[in-house]
Amino acid sequence: MEVTLWHGLEYEVEEPVAIEDLIKSLEANARLLRQTSTLLSDLVPGISLEPKRISVSRLSQESPLRELLAYTVVLAFQKDLEKEVPPLIEQITGVEVGGDYDTLVTVLVMIIAIYGISKAFDRVFPGRDKAPLEATQKTLLEQAARLLGVAVQRILDAVSVLFTGKQTRSLITASQRVFAPTRGQSRPSIRARDGAVLMPHEAVSLAQAASGIPYETEEDESAPKIESEFHYGVRIILHAMDRDRKRVGWAGHVPSLFDDRIPMHLEKSMKPEAIFGKSEITGDILLTKEEDENGDLQPKEFLLVRGNLG
């Protein structure tokens, strides 16, 4: 069965976030989001999650900075687990997980990010106290343990396995870049979509301090390179539209950037009916490119952030 998992963060910052920092955080969150498939498959015996695609569903540069990613996976599970899986899926997809809880996926992403940034902190400041990071990690681990019904140490052991082999450096780099929007900010914090604090400013300040070590230049050679870039006021030719006027099922191309049509997603504040039936529009987009088998970056999909519909 195909399932969409949601991962959303709100960065409480006072100053505008630089475009390059925004792009870094989007790519980093996507990188760590992919790791949740491995993590969940390890923590919940009998199920497997095969990554399919990650799309930006919402992006707001107003205060607070909001990022929302949709992660589509193919879920498979053993027949004898059918009665147990639906409640788990409700937790994974955020259904009926409210109150003090964010979605399980976001909690797992932040656990991975804090694990990675803690390693970076130890590298930069060996022996220095990092109690706020440790306290935040403990809180998130306990939260995930309650949702999954497994021991805290079991989750921590599974996360540590992720940081082995060739991908260690790239995961630490991604962990650093998750905090890119907080660069130069005073007393920033990170919240879940429901406003619950995931990382207080005391913990974020330590993450800020550990964000510039040489891991930044290392990449995982086994993973295709992915880059994102903003383009403003471009002409967009629409080739396919969602008949139900939803935010998925769209496709288009931008003549000034690429010729082939690729999937187009609508930022959550965009109303699908505003562009339904149009053959072309002008707007601002976030274009994602992925490395092909020849090592060339090719347009993969784009997010329509804002449209000039006048």
Side-chain angles (χ1 to χ4, degrees):
M1 65 191 300
E2 191 169 290
V3 180
T4 297
L5 313 179
W6 297 94
H7 168 52
L9 295 179
E10 295 185 358
Y11 294 84
E12 289 285 349
V13 293
E14 297 179 355
E15 302 295 330
V17 175
I19 293 297
E20 58 266 28
D21 290 333
L22 178 58
I23 291 175
K24 281 184 179 180
S25 70
L26 285 171
E27 293 177 341
N29 273 289
R31 178 62 192 267
L32 299 190
L33 186 52
R34 291 187 186 94
Q35 298 301 314
T36 62
S37 295
T38 303
L39 205 54
L40 285 168
S41 297
D42 184 11
L43 293 171
V44 185
I47 76 165
S48 65
L49 293 94
E50 180 184 344
K52 196 168 183 183
R53 62 179 176 274
I54 297 178
S55 304
V56 181
S57 179
R58 182 176 184 182
L59 181 62
S60 172
Q61 289 181 270
E62 300 174 356
S63 182
L65 169 65
R66 293 183 173 92
E67 298 179 2
L68 179 61
L69 301 180
Y71 183 25
T72 303
V73 300
V74 176
L75 172 70
F77 51 91
Q78 295 175 4
K79 275 290 183 182
D80 58 348
L81 294 178
E82 286 184 357
K83 293 182 179 179
E84 298 298 326
V85 168
L88 174 65
I89 297 308
E90 287 184 348
Q91 292 177 348
I92 290 175
T93 57
V95 177
E96 298 181 1
V97 179
D100 295 331
Y101 295 99
D102 187 33
T103 63
L104 173 59
V105 171
T106 290
V107 171
L108 292 177
V109 168
M110 290 307 298
I111 288 173
I112 297 170
I114 293 172
Y115 189 94
I117 203 66
S118 294
K119 280 186 167 292
F121 187 90
D122 290 340
R123 172 79 174 271
V124 180
F125 308 108
R128 184 176 296 187
D129 178 70
K130 57 177 189 290
L133 277 176
E134 292 171 342
T136 301
Q137 183 185 55
K138 180 175 183 290
T139 298
L140 293 176
L141 283 168
E142 291 173 347
Q143 187 174 348
R146 287 194 299 271
L147 292 170
L148 285 169
V150 300
V152 165
Q153 190 59 49
R154 176 73 181 88
I155 299 174
L156 190 57
D157 290 344
V159 172
S160 68
V161 171
L162 297 178
F163 287 81
T164 57
K166 291 183 178 180
Q167 68 175 5
T168 300
R169 290 181 179 273
S170 62
L171 286 183
I172 292 177
T173 295
S175 299
Q176 292 174 294
R177 291 177 176 178
V178 164
F179 302 98
T182 71
R183 184 169 63 93
Q185 302 284 345
S186 175
R187 296 176 64 83
S189 62
I190 299 177
R191 298 177 179 269
R193 281 187 291 159
D194 62 1
V197 176
L198 292 171
M199 284 190 71
H201 68 85
E202 295 89 350
V204 175
S205 66
L206 296 182
Q208 287 175 303
S211 63
I213 65 174
Y215 288 123
E216 184 79 0
T217 61
E218 300 289 344
E219 298 294 340
D220 180 8
E221 295 180 358
S222 64
K225 185 178 181 180
I226 298 175
E227 289 186 359
S228 300
E229 55 194 34
F230 279 100
H231 295 276
Y232 299 94
V234 295
R235 177 172 167 246
I236 305 164
I237 309 298
L238 303 177
H239 291 282
M241 304 174 197
D242 192 306
R243 293 183 183 275
D244 296 324
R245 303 185 182 185
K246 296 179 181 179
R247 292 180 175 82
V248 295
W250 299 79
H253 86 273
V254 180
S256 61
L257 300 174
F258 54 90
D259 295 325
D260 296 331
R261 77 176 190 175
I262 59 175
M264 180 181 80
H265 306 281
L266 306 187
E267 202 278 336
K268 204 163 186 177
S269 63
M270 289 284 300
K271 294 182 178 180
E273 57 267 24
I275 62 173
F276 188 77
K278 295 181 181 292
S279 60
E280 65 177 74
I281 60 172
T282 300
D284 303 336
I285 69 169
L286 177 65
L287 175 64
T288 299
K289 296 180 178 180
E290 184 173 294
E291 188 177 31
D292 63 16
E293 57 187 17
N294 297 318
D296 299 321
L297 285 172
Q298 301 294 343
K300 181 181 180 183
E301 61 182 11
F302 65 95
L303 173 74
L304 179 61
V305 179
R306 193 175 298 105
N308 181 5
L309 308 176

